[in-house]
Amino acid sequence: MIQPLSDCCLPDDSGDEDDETASPADKSELHSTIKSLSLKLDDLSTCNDLIAKHGAALQRSLSELDSLKIPYESSEKLKAVNERATLFRITSNAMINACKDFLELAETHSRKWQRALQYEQEQRIHLEETIEQLAKQHNSLERAFRSAPGRATNPTKSFSEGSLLTPKGEDSEEDEDTEYFDAMEDSTSFITVITEAKEDRKAEGGTTGSVDWTSSDNVLDGASLVPKGPPKVKRRVRIPDKPNYSLNLWSIMKNCIGRELSKIPMPVNFNEPLSMLQRLTEDLEYHHLLDKAVHCTSSVEQMCLVAAFSVSSYSTTVHRIAKPFNPMLGETFELDRLDDMGLRSLCEQVSHHPPSAAHYVFSKHGWSLWQEITISSKFRGKYLSIMPLGAIHLEFQASGNHYVWRKSTSTVHNIIVGKLWIDQTGDIEIVNHKTKDRCQLKFLPYSYFSKEVARKVTGVVSDSQGKAHYVLSGSWDEQMECAKIVQSSPSSPGSDGKQKTVYQTLPAKLLWKKYPLPENAENMYYFSELALTLNEHEEGVAPTDSRLRPDQRLMEKGHWDEANTEKQRLEEKQRVSRRRRLEACSRGCGTEEEKEADVYVPLWFEKRLDPLTGETACMYKGGYWEAKERQDWHMCPNIF
């Protein structure tokens, strides 16, 4: 459950000095190089003149000596010196001529280079202006279309027939600067029809068996209810308001098209005062769904709750357009909440290039979760794609049910112009490797022209035989429901010739509903109740804990200029440490990433072969909580 990284508008800085793509700094360096070459050529020309001058003077001196009356023996030696001087003069003249040719050629090419560089600069400026103009024209056309007669004033209030959700006008935050996309072809592969009368079901011949909500469904009945007891530890409910700093995102992003953004240094102005490790931990906000799932006697019912939990991790991304801090290598974050949440969580940054974090959670209620997530991201002009790579594992100790799934792609739109907004798209398959039950979730891409509810998620839970038991429906930013399937049948082919499955279901039950945001959340980075507590200072944590990161703490307090200075210091410190590791690697590794992976060993996790996925991933090896109990942190690196 990595926090869907769409909320990280930009993957964080790496602090690496190796940037292979041209930037304004690269152009300045090229100009400086050309200027230095010109100066060296002038020096070479001066030396050329001096050699010619002194060579001629030497020749005259030797000729004068030759005309003097000297002994025979001295005359022979003088003759030999004269011959050598002649050879030197010939060689010098050849070198001088070659230098002249080089000088003329270099001067000619220097002018060509300058013209080519000037042309490239003009073309780049023209391209940037064209892209920005196209974006503005695109948005103007969309506004004109939306204002045309007969168009609905609020597209988010148009719902597909049989939808299990009700309209929510408060979720419609799009304005005239918002960019929209066409809906995905074949947005849903099934049709849901709700049935009420029990007699109607009996008339079908009873081929599906008992279809009532039985006593075993009582767990699902109360799944959305959250037990709220008095907290044993009083935790903060607010942080300092976000300062009103303005910064043009496009002014930075226009130099990053097509690049891996984890290698681009970014100021804290685009950050939120949490690290990626803390965002991973924030996915546990709806842990009560897994606590409920422990008591399910039916694996397909348990799958419904696991699916709702996987969707809930996206719930805060609709507002969180700022990116978290990229953790330093070896940085950790613990969440020790056995008393109120019944769990302990530990994250560690185990790789810097590519950025990768390992996560392990233990719950006293009878489940454990672990993952290693690597972030891949690309800026494509108008939007930013963020692809979390890696499998997420969830195991229930009592039943042995072991679930595995992967995250979908997150996209940040309107990078160039307009209001930033985030979408989640793609398919997620959750597999129970013990029972072979499966859940297919589809995140529908948002489109102004679609009649579907915004940010819609649909899914079907099937057993090992492929028989569908539950239909899931909802939105990733608001709630999820499930409906028990009574009967399924194929529909008549549509106009496109495609056939969909018709599921007859019982009335839907609410699985999960998003908590309301705290008061004044819009001035506190839209943090949830749990997110507000994650960076709260705690005693006894490891010296590598994200709460102790100085630039992040300064940003939270509103001291952004000081935070940027401290961030640069930390990045330089990390660069020095990285160079030392690579220099210490004496083995003949290939790339620098391979060398770094070879010499860096995580402190609390170790690489093992995952028997279910066949991939190598970092898994918790133990020892952290014991070290915390002893307050023995001598093994921790000094990263801050």
Side-chain angles (χ1 to χ4, degrees):
M1 266 114 328
I2 176 170
Q3 182 73 3
L5 297 174
S6 54
D7 32 354
C8 348
C9 171
L10 304 172
D12 215 326
D13 43 356
S14 72
D16 251 353
E17 64 273 14
D18 303 322
D19 278 337
E20 60 279 344
T21 309
S23 66
D26 298 328
K27 295 177 184 176
S28 176
E29 184 179 352
L30 184 56
H31 276 299
S32 177
T33 301
I34 292 175
K35 185 176 180 181
S36 298
L37 282 174
S38 299
L39 293 174
K40 293 297 180 183
L41 288 173
D42 291 340
D43 294 342
L44 191 58
S45 180
T46 302
C47 292
N48 180 4
D49 295 339
L50 289 175
I51 289 176
K53 176 182 177 182
H54 294 305
L58 177 62
Q59 197 67 38
R60 286 196 301 271
S61 299
L62 290 173
S63 298
E64 291 172 356
L65 287 174
D66 197 28
S67 63
L68 297 176
K69 293 183 179 181
I70 55 177
Y72 174 78
E73 188 175 323
S74 298
S75 176
E76 289 297 321
K77 289 184 179 180
L78 185 60
K79 185 178 180 180
V81 171
N82 197 9
E83 290 175 351
R84 291 175 183 173
T86 302
L87 289 174
F88 175 76
R89 184 191 61 183
I90 295 172
T91 305
S92 297
N93 286 336
M95 186 193 74
I96 289 169
N97 291 331
C99 288
K100 286 181 178 179
D101 293 339
F102 174 78
L103 180 61
E104 292 174 359
L105 187 63
E107 288 175 342
T108 301
H109 282 283
S110 175
R111 289 190 291 270
K112 290 182 180 179
W113 292 341
Q114 288 175 340
R115 287 196 299 268
L117 181 59
Q118 181 65 28
Y119 177 77
E120 190 273 338
Q121 288 177 323
E122 292 172 354
Q123 289 297 103
R124 186 182 184 94
I125 292 172
H126 177 69
L127 178 61
E128 291 170 0
E129 292 173 349
T130 302
I131 291 175
E132 189 166 1
Q133 186 63 29
L134 284 174
K136 291 178 179 178
Q137 292 175 358
H138 187 181
N139 284 306
S140 297
L141 288 172
E142 288 172 345
R143 288 197 295 272
F145 179 83
R146 292 198 294 276
S147 61
R151 290 297 301 172
T153 57
N154 191 345
T156 61
K157 292 188 177 181
S158 298
F159 289 80
S160 60
E161 184 177 354
S163 173
L164 299 178
L165 298 178
T166 56
K168 304 173 192 66
E170 63 183 10
D171 293 329
S172 202
E173 298 192 357
E174 293 73 26
D175 59 16
E176 62 177 10
D177 291 325
T178 303
E179 174 186 13
Y180 300 95
F181 288 81
D182 290 337
M184 184 184 296
E185 182 182 359
D186 189 24
S187 60
T188 55
S189 57
F190 59 87
I191 302 171
T192 302
V193 178
I194 300 175
T195 182
E196 295 286 353
K198 187 173 181 180
E199 290 75 13
D200 292 341
R201 299 195 301 273
K202 290 181 179 179
E204 301 293 338
T207 56
T208 59
S210 175
V211 291
D212 290 324
W213 288 110
T214 62
S215 58
S216 63
D217 297 307
N218 290 337
V219 173
L220 297 182
D221 278 330
S224 62
L225 304 178
V226 185
K228 288 281 187 179
K232 296 185 177 180
V233 178
K234 186 176 181 180
R235 302 190 181 275
R236 67 182 186 181
V237 295
R238 66 169 294 108
I239 59 174
D241 287 356
K242 177 182 178 181
N244 186 22
Y245 283 93
S246 62
L247 190 64
N248 188 346
L249 177 61
W250 174 241
S251 66
I252 294 179
M253 296 301 295
K254 66 185 180 183
N255 297 314
C256 310
I257 297 177
R259 298 176 65 184
E260 171 56 60
L261 292 186
S262 64
K263 293 187 176 183
I264 300 171
M266 303 294 294
V268 302
N269 305 56
F270 297 122
N271 286 44
E272 62 180 18
L274 288 178
S275 77
M276 180 57 67
L277 304 182
Q278 290 165 315
R279 292 303 300 269
L280 279 174
T281 307
E282 194 178 341
D283 288 349
L284 301 172
E285 183 156 14
Y286 299 97
H287 62 92
H288 70 276
L289 292 171
L290 302 184
D291 298 340
K292 290 281 186 181
V294 170
H295 304 291
C296 286
T297 56
S298 166
S299 61
V300 289
E301 291 173 11
Q302 188 176 73
M303 177 70 83
C304 292
L305 290 168
V306 173
F309 177 73
S310 68
V311 174
S312 72
S313 64
Y314 295 93
S315 59
T316 61
T317 66
V318 67
H319 299 296
R320 304 272 285 277
I321 58 174
K323 68 183 182 67
F325 280 79
N326 195 36
M328 313 298 288
L329 187 61
E331 185 174 333
T332 60
F333 179 74
E334 66 158 71
L335 188 70
D336 193 355
R337 302 284 287 270
L338 279 175
D339 292 340
D340 54 343
M341 296 175 64
L343 57 83
R344 275 179 162 176
S345 167
L346 177 65
C347 295
E348 180 180 2
Q349 188 77 357
V350 296
S351 173
H352 189 53
H353 278 314
S356 181
H359 186 201
Y360 178 78
V361 187
F362 165 78
S363 171
K364 68 180 182 182
H365 296 292
W367 57 268
S368 57
L369 179 147
W370 64 95
Q371 62 181 322
E372 181 185 352
I373 295 295
T374 300
I375 304 304
S376 177
S377 56
K378 286 290 183 181
F379 176 52
R380 298 303 186 186
K382 287 188 70 175
Y383 65 92
L384 168 68
S385 293
I386 303 163
M387 295 77 70
L389 309 176
I392 304 166
H393 294 257
L394 171 66
E395 186 174 26
F396 293 94
Q397 277 78 38
S399 63
N401 288 334
H402 189 150
Y403 298 87
V404 178
W405 69 96
R406 298 172 188 271
K407 302 301 289 185
S408 63
T409 297
S410 301
T411 307
V412 184
H413 297 281
N414 284 355
I415 296 293
I416 299 177
V417 63
K419 180 180 178 181
L420 289 174
W421 63 281
I422 294 166
D423 202 11
Q424 316 291 344
T425 57
D427 298 337
I428 294 178
E429 182 181 55
I430 307 175
V431 180
N432 183 340
H433 283 270
K434 180 183 178 184
T435 65
K436 307 305 178 185
D437 299 337
R438 294 177 183 270
C439 176
Q440 300 285 347
L441 290 173
K442 179 182 286 291
F443 289 71
L444 303 183
Y446 183 54
S447 170
Y448 179 83
F449 310 105
S450 173
K451 63 181 180 179
E452 299 286 1
V453 61
R455 311 176 188 96
K456 186 175 182 179
V457 181
T458 62
V460 177
V461 175
S462 307
D463 60 21
S464 58
Q465 304 301 316
K467 178 183 176 182
H469 288 263
Y470 289 93
V471 169
L472 304 176
S473 185
S475 59
W476 51 261
D477 68 321
E478 190 63 30
Q479 66 180 41
M480 286 297 293
E481 297 175 318
C482 73
K484 193 168 187 177
I485 297 174
V486 175
Q487 190 179 30
S488 61
S489 59
S491 68
S492 301
S495 58
D496 57 357
K498 294 184 179 181
Q499 198 173 47
K500 295 185 178 183
T501 303
V502 178
Y503 291 123
Q504 187 177 357
T505 69
L506 295 177
K509 294 189 176 183
L510 184 65
L511 288 174
W512 159 76
K513 186 174 179 63
K514 179 185 175 182
Y515 300 149
L517 289 174
E519 184 180 356
N520 195 41
E522 65 277 8
N523 295 319
M524 298 187 295
Y525 309 89
Y526 285 99
F527 280 0
S528 65
E529 185 178 313
L530 175 63
L532 288 172
T533 69
L534 293 180
N535 206 43
E536 186 174 11
H537 181 75
E538 289 190 16
E539 298 292 338
V541 299
T544 53
D545 196 273
S546 299
R547 299 175 180 89
L548 304 178
R549 180 165 175 165
D551 54 347
Q552 185 173 302
R553 181 65 63 186
L554 285 167
M555 185 198 175
E556 182 186 273
K557 292 179 178 179
H559 308 316
W560 285 18
D561 292 336
E562 294 90 335
N564 276 315
T565 301
E566 189 64 21
K567 185 169 180 285
Q568 293 174 6
R569 181 190 68 82
L570 290 176
E571 289 169 359
E572 179 58 30
K573 182 174 183 178
Q574 181 164 249
R575 279 194 288 267
V576 171
S577 298
R578 182 171 182 262
R579 284 196 292 266
R580 287 173 180 170
R581 284 196 306 273
L582 295 178
E583 290 169 0
C585 180
S586 56
R587 285 170 287 182
C589 305
T591 65
E592 289 193 355
E593 284 79 4
E594 290 173 343
K595 290 182 180 180
E596 183 170 9
D598 221 24
V599 298
Y600 180 76
V601 179
L603 192 55
W604 309 110
F605 291 80
E606 61 184 2
K607 285 196 173 293
R608 300 177 194 164
L609 180 65
D610 188 333
L612 296 180
T613 65
E615 302 170 351
T616 301
C618 282
M619 303 183 188
Y620 182 58
K621 64 181 180 181
Y624 179 87
W625 303 108
E626 293 79 5
K628 182 182 180 181
E629 186 176 349
R630 299 191 307 269
Q631 281 299 293
D632 179 12
W633 302 115
H634 73 277
M635 72 293 290
C636 294
N638 178 13
I639 60 174
F640 299 142

